[in-house]
Amino acid sequence: MSEILRSYEKYFRRNRLPHLWCPGCGNGIAMKAIVQAIEKNPEFNQDNTVIVSGIGCSSRASGYMDFDTLHTAHGRAIPFATGVKLANPKLNVIVITGDGDCTAIGGNHFIHGCRRNIDLTVVLFNNNIYGMTGGQASPMTPTGKKATTAPYGSVDRTFDACSLAQAAGATYVARSTAFHVNHLTDMIAGGFNNKGFSFIEALVQCPTAYGRRNKMGAPAEMLKWMRDNAVMKAAWDKLPDEKKTPEKFPIGLLYETNAVDYDTAYESVIELAGGK
Ligand code: SF4
């Protein structure tokens, strides 16, 4: 009897399984949300979509996804993706990155990708820590939370990557969580529709390197924490300041604007130079 595949399963390299993520890790949820967003978009398919990732637990996703994929150097996914997009602007280019990869070693590439408004969709899997390299604090580890490099709690202030993306020039900025799977899928799908730099922060649970050290409980408890602390943008905007406690955070489409994307700007330079 032939095996019946669920519709999204064709997007995975099943010969690469089993994956290396820990039991209960949220990375698989975010990866599945990406392929479900791809499936919703009639203009995206496995032949015209490229997945580029950096280094870290999240960035292993590109190896499991059956597209043209690039697993690049630490922090360098956005420059590689920029090269792919400029070489062939017809391609849909998706970047998968983590909080350390994107906002620490890749921080400069991140802000300049936003500034250029290059037509990429960047999905940041935020597990609040460096998981793969042993649980060091990342720029998105919440202040006071523990890491191997912060055994008494991090004293660093935390990057809000969505605010950073907006300030740097991204034209679509959204956030969701591994608990809100359909919402996360919609936020990613919205990014695909934006011609410019789209940034989606996907909060994912890391029970091994972050949750255990910070007594967050089992993976299901970490998902419940997301459920209880994420606030939809419309409700967030009406929330009195005293109820915006440090644990609460807004999800949804946080910012959207129109601006010329980098491919279009670059095309005009080619024309001026007589290249077409
Ligand atoms: Fe997932 Fe954390 Fe394990 Fe990495 S260390 S695979 S992020 S649970």
Side-chain angles (χ1 to χ4, degrees):
M1 193 165 71
S2 65
E3 190 183 2
I4 298 172
L5 292 180
R6 282 163 288 192
S7 61
Y8 58 83
E9 290 186 56
K10 70 179 181 195
Y11 298 108
F12 294 115
R13 295 174 176 139
R14 298 202 309 156
N15 61 356
R16 297 296 300 274
L17 298 176
H19 61 74
L20 58 61
W21 291 321
C22 308
C25 174
N27 286 337
I29 299 173
M31 178 174 71
K32 184 182 166 198
I34 293 173
V35 299
Q36 291 195 299
I38 289 171
E39 195 170 50
K40 281 180 165 199
N41 192 318
E43 290 178 16
F44 281 49
N45 59 54
Q46 282 160 292
D47 295 324
N48 67 11
T49 303
V50 179
I51 313 272
V52 185
S53 65
I55 294 293
C57 295
S58 59
S59 292
R60 296 303 292 246
S62 61
Y64 305 129
M65 300 172 80
D66 195 7
F67 297 83
D68 288 321
T69 57
L70 279 167
H71 188 188
T72 71
H74 205 182
R76 314 300 180 216
I78 290 174
F80 275 85
T82 299
V84 171
K85 188 70 186 174
L86 284 179
N88 186 352
K90 292 192 178 128
L91 292 172
N92 306 306
V93 185
I94 301 167
V95 172
I96 296 176
T97 181
D99 43 306
D101 189 63
C102 185
T103 65
I105 192 166
N108 239 350
H109 299 305
F110 174 43
I111 58 173
H112 291 290
C114 295
R115 176 175 69 88
R116 293 187 177 115
N117 194 31
I118 184 147
D119 186 21
L120 308 174
T121 300
V122 176
V123 186
L124 187 161
F125 293 12
N126 177 16
N127 67 351
N128 298 121
I129 206 148
Y130 282 93
M132 183 168 281
T133 51
Q136 298 89 346
S138 87
M140 295 181 75
T141 300
T143 308
K145 295 294 184 185
K146 292 181 179 167
T148 51
T149 50
Y152 302 103
S154 174
V155 294
D156 289 11
R157 293 168 71 192
T158 311
F159 261 150
D160 178 337
C162 290
S163 296
L164 183 59
Q166 177 181 339
T171 46
Y172 177 98
V173 179
R175 180 189 289 122
S176 193
T177 84
F179 177 82
H180 305 82
V181 182
N182 291 335
H183 180 260
L184 174 59
T185 303
D186 289 344
M187 293 299 102
I188 297 168
F192 294 161
N193 292 332
N194 174 50
K195 186 152 174 57
F197 196 99
S198 302
F199 177 74
I200 300 100
E201 178 188 340
L203 192 66
V204 295
Q205 76 277 12
C206 168
T208 303
Y210 181 75
R212 189 163 50 190
R213 188 165 284 109
N214 286 289
K215 302 195 173 9
M216 302 280 290
E221 294 305 314
M222 296 184 78
L223 287 163
K224 284 183 196 162
W225 182 92
M226 295 177 200
R227 177 196 66 189
D228 295 341
N229 287 291
V231 180
M232 289 291 171
K233 172 79 167 60
W236 178 265
D237 289 343
K238 291 182 195 146
L239 206 63
D241 283 347
E242 63 271 18
K243 293 205 170 165
K244 290 179 179 169
T245 57
E247 297 224 309
K248 299 264 182 219
F249 57 95
I251 60 171
L253 175 57
L254 304 181
Y255 178 74
E256 190 173 34
T257 192
N258 287 317
V260 177
D261 69 284
Y262 197 68
D263 304 335
T264 305
Y266 198 69
E267 281 287 314
S268 65
V269 172
I270 293 171
E271 273 179 38
L272 281 173
K276 280 193 180 169

